Amino acid sequence: MDALVTTQWLASELGASDLRIVDATYLDAAGGRDASAEYEQAHIPGAVFMNLGELRDTDTDLPMMLPSAEKFASRMQSLGLGDGSRIVLYDTSPWHTAARAWWMLRHFGAHDVAILDGGLTKWRAEGRETAAGKEQLRHRHFTVWAGAEGVRTLDQMQRNLSSGGEQVLDARSAARFTGEEPDPRPATHAGHIPGSKNLPYTELFEADGTWKRGEALRQAFAAASVDLDRPIVTTCGSGITAATLLFGLHLLGKDGALYDGSWSEWGASRDTHKAMGAA
């Protein structure tokens, strides 16, 4: 299974015993949409709903930190996702949150994980069947494994300021990156990590919401002055769209790490603000 699959491919695979489809839409409640309610109203047949808003470390004030391996495995098992599953993710979020689910699944040991190109929007535009209500799948064992190599901490990001060992790539909008637009989180400074580069995650998509591929995708990274042959760590506001950049890198055959605390951690820290010279 490719990392990015088409609606036509998925339609031909519906009903396969090892196929698991997941709606990984995450939305800000302030935007007036309810991801769970929208899933129950219409989803791809057989799809279960992954609640990314709950699938996080709830012992921290940071918004979207990785949960424990045990919590993640338990949630996946309850969704019927487990060993031997081919997992296809989609979303209807403006932040393309299927990429966050993709990154988390791979981080915790899932091997066969893909994203549906164009998501539910493309699926419905093509007149394909949808289902309503909730899907019930039997529990399936999920063998969890988690290493630390694909995740960066605040301390590691601070050390990288002097070492410069990794390029830091920020997925937020240009206005958020420059500080022209204030951060929406209370007591969080505007701006960006010193030395980082800006590639708004929206630049990785075509006008119809499908992913750029090949040279078009490569040019998006080149336009942000990213050297694809050097190590890269991605960041954003809360760790969600940073995963979108990682998926884009994956499509180009490259891997990177994700700063999970992202700007919600860096921008609220007194130490980092001091190090930035109050910039």
Side-chain angles (χ1 to χ4, degrees), residues 86-136:
R86 290 183 300 155
I87 303 171
V88 176
L89 304 154
Y90 72 85
D91 69 78
T92 58
S93 171
W95 305 306
H96 299 274
T97 51
R100 173 72 183 190
W102 169 86
W103 176 72
M104 293 173 72
L105 280 158
R106 284 170 54 87
H107 173 75
F108 285 114
H111 301 292
D112 218 356
V113 188
I115 290 177
L116 178 64
D117 200 13
L120 183 64
T121 300
K122 188 171 189 294
W123 180 273
R124 298 187 74 173
E126 294 169 345
R128 301 188 187 275
E129 178 186 0
T130 60
K134 296 181 179 180
E135 304 279 353
Q136 296 294 330

Side-chain angles (χ1 to χ4, degrees), residues 44-263:
I44 295 175
V48 293
F49 179 70
M50 182 184 290
N51 187 345
L52 291 177
E54 190 275 334
L55 195 57
R56 60 184 180 85
D57 182 356
T58 53
D59 292 330
T60 175
D61 291 335
L62 296 172
M64 292 297 289
M65 297 292 281
L66 282 167
S68 68
E70 295 75 19
K71 178 177 180 178
F72 188 83
S74 174
R75 297 298 187 274
M76 294 308 100
Q77 290 172 176
S78 68
L79 291 176
L81 310 181
D83 300 345
S85 297
R86 290 183 300 155
I87 303 171
V88 176
L89 304 154
Y90 72 85
D91 69 78
T92 58
S93 171
W95 305 306
H96 299 274
T97 51
R100 173 72 183 190
W102 169 86
W103 176 72
M104 293 173 72
L105 280 158
R106 284 170 54 87
H107 173 75
F108 285 114
H111 301 292
D112 218 356
V113 188
I115 290 177
L116 178 64
D117 200 13
L120 183 64
T121 300
K122 188 171 189 294
W123 180 273
R124 298 187 74 173
E126 294 169 345
R128 301 188 187 275
E129 178 186 0
T130 60
K134 296 181 179 180
E135 304 279 353
Q136 296 294 330
L137 297 177
R138 65 180 180 84
H139 280 49
R140 191 178 183 92
H141 180 69
F142 185 97
T143 300
V144 70
W145 179 92
E149 62 273 6
V151 185
R152 294 294 176 266
T153 65
L154 177 60
D155 286 345
Q156 288 172 315
M157 297 300 291
Q158 288 176 309
R159 290 197 296 271
N160 191 61
L161 288 179
S162 55
S163 72
E166 294 181 313
Q167 300 170 95
V168 180
L169 189 56
D170 194 319
R172 294 176 300 158
S173 68
R176 290 275 301 281
F177 181 80
T178 62
E180 177 184 352
E181 180 181 319
D183 194 273
R185 300 171 182 84
T188 304
H189 305 296
H192 59 267
I193 298 172
S196 59
K197 301 173 182 181
N198 184 215
L199 175 54
Y201 70 95
T202 51
E203 295 299 314
L204 304 191
F205 297 91
E206 303 287 2
D208 64 357
T210 58
W211 283 83
K212 291 181 178 178
R213 303 295 300 268
E215 190 58 28
L217 182 58
R218 191 177 299 275
Q219 284 301 316
F221 285 91
S225 300
V226 176
D227 183 347
L228 292 175
D229 293 324
R230 290 189 55 223
I232 298 170
V233 56
T234 63
T235 183
C236 58
S238 63
I240 293 178
T241 56
T244 307
L245 296 187
L246 285 185
F247 187 76
L249 288 169
H250 184 75
L251 292 178
L252 294 173
K254 305 293 182 179
D255 290 316
L258 187 148
Y259 172 30
D260 209 21
S262 283
W263 192 252

